[in-house]
Amino acid sequence: MASVTVRVDEQTKREAAEIVEDFGFDLSSVTRAFYRQIVRERRIPLTLSYPEPNEESLQSIREAEELLASGGHGYKTAREMLDAALGD
């Protein structure tokens, strides 16, 4: 049996432990299972992608793009937008 040492910040470790413990595992068991899956599949079984925005966010993005395309005014900061909305 070999040992593996992994450095991770305390908050990440704590949050990960809570999740795996909710499934009835511990971090060591999940790490061993991950290694076995790497060997079995002969690949790194991770999905690396940015989270997809929900439909409400997608609609907001479309509206903003349409507003800018039609000559609407954009803002560089939230403060600039709020000042314009409040008439300051």
Side-chain angles (χ1 to χ4, degrees), residues 59-74:
Q59 181 60 33
S60 295
I61 292 167
R62 284 190 290 270
E63 289 172 6
E65 289 171 344
E66 289 171 8
L67 179 66
L68 291 172
S70 68
H73 186 314

Side-chain angles (χ1 to χ4, degrees), residues 34-46:
F34 180 66
Y35 276 45
R36 287 186 187 115
Q37 187 173 3
I38 290 171
V39 171
R40 183 177 59 252
E41 296 182 11
R42 301 193 51 76
R43 69 181 189 91
I44 300 172
L46 294 174

